[in-house]
Amino acid sequence: MKIVLSERYGHLARWMRTLPSQGISGEVLRDNRNTLWCVKVEGEELVVKRFAKPLRLNRWVYTFLRPTKAKRSYNYSLRLEQLGIAVADPVGYIECRRGLLFHTGYYVSKRLPYPTLEHLEREPQLRQLEILDAFAAFTVELHEKGVLDYDYNPGNIFYYRENDTWSFALIDVNRMAFRRNLSRRDCVEMLHHLDWEKPYLGYVLVRYAELRKWDWKILSGAVLLKQGINLPVRIRNFFKRLVGK
């Protein structure tokens, strides 16, 4: 078993060592392919993510060729922090082997006490627009810093008010790339994961294009084409709602 623990959370070392063997007791936040728990340990409110056990071929890959999802979650969180991008504070990760091969991975982070963008409809309408404006600017910032997030969906983005401005924090960051420059195709690839119902997505795409001085019609068409579900209907409804606003 390999354990990596942030120096900031050295007081959790004993708990981390016993986590795989003793199991996890806490509130289950999600239980599908991966399982997430919220736990309280020594005054810290944490989220523990246990990744699904990989197929045998992937066990070889994660042992010899590629960093595990747990390791990437931790390292990418640290890298995002270095870039000035908020994330759930990384606590550490665990890699368990069975025999010579990787078997199970755990990633531990602080719990963020904020709502995610998938619950944006709970906000008053004027506040929704404020948040979407700030979110478009945040997305531009990510792209200008070379961050390409392949899980950029509303359920993985928290929003909160800080210093009279709307800010955002990312979770589930193990599927990322960091590049010196992102192409327009890269940006479209990331934006198409925003699986909002309209008009949220349309509004963000227009604001994003304005900030980058791009043609919003071309950008919106490319994102919708990438999403590719009921494309003619989605394009027609998109422009109807945009004209209506």
PDB file of all heavy atoms in Angstrom, residues 32-51:
ATOM      1  N   ASN A  32     -22.017   4.834  -7.426  1.00  0.00           N
ATOM      2  CA  ASN A  32     -22.249   4.207  -8.724  1.00  0.00           C
ATOM      3  C   ASN A  32     -20.956   3.513  -9.126  1.00  0.00           C
ATOM      4  O   ASN A  32     -20.560   2.543  -8.493  1.00  0.00           O
ATOM      5  CB  ASN A  32     -22.747   5.212  -9.771  1.00  0.00           C
ATOM      6  CG  ASN A  32     -22.037   6.551  -9.684  1.00  0.00           C
ATOM      7  OD1 ASN A  32     -20.830   6.607  -9.432  1.00  0.00           O
ATOM      8  ND2 ASN A  32     -22.754   7.635  -9.886  1.00  0.00           N
ATOM      9  N   ARG A  33     -20.326   3.984 -10.163  1.00  0.00           N
ATOM     10  CA  ARG A  33     -19.060   3.351 -10.547  1.00  0.00           C
ATOM     11  C   ARG A  33     -17.976   3.613  -9.497  1.00  0.00           C
ATOM     12  O   ARG A  33     -17.242   2.712  -9.094  1.00  0.00           O
ATOM     13  CB  ARG A  33     -18.620   3.873 -11.915  1.00  0.00           C
ATOM     14  CG  ARG A  33     -17.443   3.128 -12.497  1.00  0.00           C
ATOM     15  CD  ARG A  33     -17.235   3.457 -13.969  1.00  0.00           C
ATOM     16  NE  ARG A  33     -16.137   2.694 -14.507  1.00  0.00           N
ATOM     17  CZ  ARG A  33     -14.862   3.076 -14.441  1.00  0.00           C
ATOM     18  NH1 ARG A  33     -14.560   4.220 -13.857  1.00  0.00           N
ATOM     19  NH2 ARG A  33     -13.898   2.329 -14.951  1.00  0.00           N
ATOM     20  N   ASN A  34     -17.871   4.861  -9.078  1.00  0.00           N
ATOM     21  CA  ASN A  34     -17.000   5.226  -7.959  1.00  0.00           C
ATOM     22  C   ASN A  34     -17.883   5.546  -6.756  1.00  0.00           C
ATOM     23  O   ASN A  34     -19.040   5.915  -6.912  1.00  0.00           O
ATOM     24  CB  ASN A  34     -16.140   6.435  -8.321  1.00  0.00           C
ATOM     25  CG  ASN A  34     -15.346   6.229  -9.600  1.00  0.00           C
ATOM     26  OD1 ASN A  34     -14.687   5.217  -9.767  1.00  0.00           O
ATOM     27  ND2 ASN A  34     -15.431   7.189 -10.514  1.00  0.00           N
ATOM     28  N   THR A  35     -17.325   5.426  -5.570  1.00  0.00           N
ATOM     29  CA  THR A  35     -18.091   5.690  -4.356  1.00  0.00           C
ATOM     30  C   THR A  35     -17.467   6.848  -3.592  1.00  0.00           C
ATOM     31  O   THR A  35     -16.242   6.896  -3.418  1.00  0.00           O
ATOM     32  CB  THR A  35     -18.147   4.451  -3.451  1.00  0.00           C
ATOM     33  OG1 THR A  35     -18.620   3.332  -4.202  1.00  0.00           O
ATOM     34  CG2 THR A  35     -19.090   4.677  -2.279  1.00  0.00           C
ATOM     35  N   LEU A  36     -18.319   7.799  -3.161  1.00  0.00           N
ATOM     36  CA  LEU A  36     -17.857   8.951  -2.400  1.00  0.00           C
ATOM     37  C   LEU A  36     -18.539   8.965  -1.038  1.00  0.00           C
ATOM     38  O   LEU A  36     -19.747   8.754  -0.936  1.00  0.00           O
ATOM     39  CB  LEU A  36     -18.177  10.262  -3.125  1.00  0.00           C
ATOM     40  CG  LEU A  36     -17.218  10.737  -4.225  1.00  0.00           C
ATOM     41  CD1 LEU A  36     -17.416   9.895  -5.484  1.00  0.00           C
ATOM     42  CD2 LEU A  36     -17.446  12.199  -4.536  1.00  0.00           C
ATOM     43  N   TRP A  37     -17.739   9.242  -0.011  1.00  0.00           N
ATOM     44  CA  TRP A  37     -18.256   9.400   1.339  1.00  0.00           C
ATOM     45  C   TRP A  37     -17.850  10.767   1.880  1.00  0.00           C
ATOM     46  O   TRP A  37     -16.777  11.284   1.553  1.00  0.00           O
ATOM     47  CB  TRP A  37     -17.661   8.359   2.283  1.00  0.00           C
ATOM     48  CG  TRP A  37     -18.054   6.944   2.065  1.00  0.00           C
ATOM     49  CD1 TRP A  37     -19.086   6.257   2.655  1.00  0.00           C
ATOM     50  CD2 TRP A  37     -17.383   5.988   1.224  1.00  0.00           C
ATOM     51  NE1 TRP A  37     -19.095   4.955   2.221  1.00  0.00           N
ATOM     52  CE2 TRP A  37     -18.078   4.767   1.345  1.00  0.00           C
ATOM     53  CE3 TRP A  37     -16.280   6.062   0.371  1.00  0.00           C
ATOM     54  CZ2 TRP A  37     -17.682   3.624   0.655  1.00  0.00           C
ATOM     55  CZ3 TRP A  37     -15.894   4.934  -0.322  1.00  0.00           C
ATOM     56  CH2 TRP A  37     -16.590   3.728  -0.174  1.00  0.00           C
ATOM     57  N   CYS A  38     -18.676  11.312   2.736  1.00  0.00           N
ATOM     58  CA  CYS A  38     -18.294  12.457   3.564  1.00  0.00           C
ATOM     59  C   CYS A  38     -18.024  11.926   4.968  1.00  0.00           C
ATOM     60  O   CYS A  38     -18.875  11.258   5.564  1.00  0.00           O
ATOM     61  CB  CYS A  38     -19.401  13.503   3.592  1.00  0.00           C
ATOM     62  SG  CYS A  38     -19.030  14.907   4.677  1.00  0.00           S
ATOM     63  N   VAL A  39     -16.847  12.207   5.494  1.00  0.00           N
ATOM     64  CA  VAL A  39     -16.467  11.706   6.812  1.00  0.00           C
ATOM     65  C   VAL A  39     -15.914  12.864   7.640  1.00  0.00           C
ATOM     66  O   VAL A  39     -15.389  13.845   7.101  1.00  0.00           O
ATOM     67  CB  VAL A  39     -15.423  10.574   6.710  1.00  0.00           C
ATOM     68  CG1 VAL A  39     -15.975   9.390   5.926  1.00  0.00           C
ATOM     69  CG2 VAL A  39     -14.130  11.071   6.068  1.00  0.00           C
ATOM     70  N   LYS A  40     -16.012  12.723   8.946  1.00  0.00           N
ATOM     71  CA  LYS A  40     -15.422  13.699   9.862  1.00  0.00           C
ATOM     72  C   LYS A  40     -14.329  12.999  10.655  1.00  0.00           C
ATOM     73  O   LYS A  40     -14.589  12.011  11.349  1.00  0.00           O
ATOM     74  CB  LYS A  40     -16.493  14.276  10.789  1.00  0.00           C
ATOM     75  CG  LYS A  40     -17.504  15.150  10.055  1.00  0.00           C
ATOM     76  CD  LYS A  40     -18.498  15.792  11.011  1.00  0.00           C
ATOM     77  CE  LYS A  40     -19.476  16.690  10.250  1.00  0.00           C
ATOM     78  NZ  LYS A  40     -20.463  17.340  11.139  1.00  0.00           N
ATOM     79  N   VAL A  41     -13.122  13.529  10.529  1.00  0.00           N
ATOM     80  CA  VAL A  41     -11.963  12.924  11.183  1.00  0.00           C
ATOM     81  C   VAL A  41     -11.154  14.016  11.863  1.00  0.00           C
ATOM     82  O   VAL A  41     -10.680  14.952  11.202  1.00  0.00           O
ATOM     83  CB  VAL A  41     -11.066  12.176  10.161  1.00  0.00           C
ATOM     84  CG1 VAL A  41      -9.912  11.492  10.870  1.00  0.00           C
ATOM     85  CG2 VAL A  41     -11.873  11.183   9.342  1.00  0.00           C
ATOM     86  N   GLU A  42     -11.031  13.916  13.178  1.00  0.00           N
ATOM     87  CA  GLU A  42     -10.228  14.862  13.959  1.00  0.00           C
ATOM     88  C   GLU A  42     -10.546  16.311  13.613  1.00  0.00           C
ATOM     89  O   GLU A  42      -9.661  17.140  13.382  1.00  0.00           O
ATOM     90  CB  GLU A  42      -8.732  14.574  13.761  1.00  0.00           C
ATOM     91  CG  GLU A  42      -8.325  13.187  14.243  1.00  0.00           C
ATOM     92  CD  GLU A  42      -6.819  13.006  14.275  1.00  0.00           C
ATOM     93  OE1 GLU A  42      -6.101  14.029  14.347  1.00  0.00           O
ATOM     94  OE2 GLU A  42      -6.363  11.861  14.246  1.00  0.00           O
ATOM     95  N   GLY A  43     -11.825  16.602  13.548  1.00  0.00           N
ATOM     96  CA  GLY A  43     -12.274  17.959  13.301  1.00  0.00           C
ATOM     97  C   GLY A  43     -12.271  18.379  11.849  1.00  0.00           C
ATOM     98  O   GLY A  43     -12.648  19.514  11.535  1.00  0.00           O
ATOM     99  N   GLU A  44     -11.871  17.492  10.942  1.00  0.00           N
ATOM    100  CA  GLU A  44     -11.841  17.808   9.514  1.00  0.00           C
ATOM    101  C   GLU A  44     -13.035  17.145   8.823  1.00  0.00           C
ATOM    102  O   GLU A  44     -13.328  15.967   9.069  1.00  0.00           O
ATOM    103  CB  GLU A  44     -10.547  17.294   8.863  1.00  0.00           C
ATOM    104  CG  GLU A  44      -9.272  17.774   9.521  1.00  0.00           C
ATOM    105  CD  GLU A  44      -8.893  19.179   9.107  1.00  0.00           C
ATOM    106  OE1 GLU A  44      -9.666  19.830   8.383  1.00  0.00           O
ATOM    107  OE2 GLU A  44      -7.800  19.633   9.513  1.00  0.00           O
ATOM    108  N   GLU A  45     -13.707  17.894   7.964  1.00  0.00           N
ATOM    109  CA  GLU A  45     -14.779  17.314   7.154  1.00  0.00           C
ATOM    110  C   GLU A  45     -14.199  17.004   5.777  1.00  0.00           C
ATOM    111  O   GLU A  45     -13.801  17.910   5.034  1.00  0.00           O
ATOM    112  CB  GLU A  45     -15.962  18.281   7.035  1.00  0.00           C
ATOM    113  CG  GLU A  45     -17.190  17.617   6.431  1.00  0.00           C
ATOM    114  CD  GLU A  45     -18.447  18.486   6.565  1.00  0.00           C
ATOM    115  OE1 GLU A  45     -18.297  19.712   6.785  1.00  0.00           O
ATOM    116  OE2 GLU A  45     -19.553  17.950   6.431  1.00  0.00           O
ATOM    117  N   LEU A  46     -14.153  15.716   5.450  1.00  0.00           N
ATOM    118  CA  LEU A  46     -13.440  15.246   4.274  1.00  0.00           C
ATOM    119  C   LEU A  46     -14.369  14.511   3.319  1.00  0.00           C
ATOM    120  O   LEU A  46     -15.428  14.028   3.707  1.00  0.00           O
ATOM    121  CB  LEU A  46     -12.306  14.290   4.686  1.00  0.00           C
ATOM    122  CG  LEU A  46     -11.348  14.767   5.779  1.00  0.00           C
ATOM    123  CD1 LEU A  46     -10.407  13.642   6.169  1.00  0.00           C
ATOM    124  CD2 LEU A  46     -10.563  15.991   5.304  1.00  0.00           C
ATOM    125  N   VAL A  47     -13.928  14.430   2.072  1.00  0.00           N
ATOM    126  CA  VAL A  47     -14.579  13.579   1.085  1.00  0.00           C
ATOM    127  C   VAL A  47     -13.587  12.492   0.679  1.00  0.00           C
ATOM    128  O   VAL A  47     -12.450  12.805   0.277  1.00  0.00           O
ATOM    129  CB  VAL A  47     -15.026  14.375  -0.153  1.00  0.00           C
ATOM    130  CG1 VAL A  47     -15.538  13.423  -1.245  1.00  0.00           C
ATOM    131  CG2 VAL A  47     -16.116  15.366   0.221  1.00  0.00           C
ATOM    132  N   VAL A  48     -14.001  11.246   0.805  1.00  0.00           N
ATOM    133  CA  VAL A  48     -13.188  10.106   0.392  1.00  0.00           C
ATOM    134  C   VAL A  48     -13.786   9.536  -0.880  1.00  0.00           C
ATOM    135  O   VAL A  48     -14.969   9.204  -0.921  1.00  0.00           O
ATOM    136  CB  VAL A  48     -13.144   9.015   1.480  1.00  0.00           C
ATOM    137  CG1 VAL A  48     -12.307   7.824   1.000  1.00  0.00           C
ATOM    138  CG2 VAL A  48     -12.589   9.573   2.782  1.00  0.00           C
ATOM    139  N   LYS A  49     -12.957   9.421  -1.899  1.00  0.00           N
ATOM    140  CA  LYS A  49     -13.407   8.835  -3.164  1.00  0.00           C
ATOM    141  C   LYS A  49     -12.665   7.526  -3.389  1.00  0.00           C
ATOM    142  O   LYS A  49     -11.436   7.508  -3.479  1.00  0.00           O
ATOM    143  CB  LYS A  49     -13.155   9.788  -4.325  1.00  0.00           C
ATOM    144  CG  LYS A  49     -13.671   9.264  -5.668  1.00  0.00           C
ATOM    145  CD  LYS A  49     -13.524  10.325  -6.753  1.00  0.00           C
ATOM    146  CE  LYS A  49     -14.162   9.880  -8.052  1.00  0.00           C
ATOM    147  NZ  LYS A  49     -14.089  10.925  -9.098  1.00  0.00           N
ATOM    148  N   ARG A  50     -13.423   6.452  -3.465  1.00  0.00           N
ATOM    149  CA  ARG A  50     -12.820   5.157  -3.808  1.00  0.00           C
ATOM    150  C   ARG A  50     -13.143   4.873  -5.271  1.00  0.00           C
ATOM    151  O   ARG A  50     -14.312   4.767  -5.651  1.00  0.00           O
ATOM    152  CB  ARG A  50     -13.377   4.040  -2.926  1.00  0.00           C
ATOM    153  CG  ARG A  50     -12.705   2.680  -3.182  1.00  0.00           C
ATOM    154  CD  ARG A  50     -13.311   1.589  -2.329  1.00  0.00           C
ATOM    155  NE  ARG A  50     -14.705   1.360  -2.720  1.00  0.00           N
ATOM    156  CZ  ARG A  50     -15.587   0.705  -1.960  1.00  0.00           C
ATOM    157  NH1 ARG A  50     -15.238   0.252  -0.773  1.00  0.00           N
ATOM    158  NH2 ARG A  50     -16.825   0.530  -2.375  1.00  0.00           N
ATOM    159  N   PHE A  51     -12.114   4.767  -6.064  1.00  0.00           N
ATOM    160  CA  PHE A  51     -12.312   4.524  -7.487  1.00  0.00           C
ATOM    161  C   PHE A  51     -12.664   3.068  -7.731  1.00  0.00           C
ATOM    162  O   PHE A  51     -12.233   2.169  -6.993  1.00  0.00           O
ATOM    163  CB  PHE A  51     -11.047   4.898  -8.265  1.00  0.00           C
ATOM    164  CG  PHE A  51     -10.762   6.368  -8.267  1.00  0.00           C
ATOM    165  CD1 PHE A  51      -9.900   6.922  -7.328  1.00  0.00           C
ATOM    166  CD2 PHE A  51     -11.356   7.208  -9.195  1.00  0.00           C
ATOM    167  CE1 PHE A  51      -9.633   8.275  -7.320  1.00  0.00           C
ATOM    168  CE2 PHE A  51     -11.098   8.566  -9.200  1.00  0.00           C
ATOM    169  CZ  PHE A  51     -10.237   9.101  -8.260  1.00  0.00           C
TER     170      PHE A  51
END
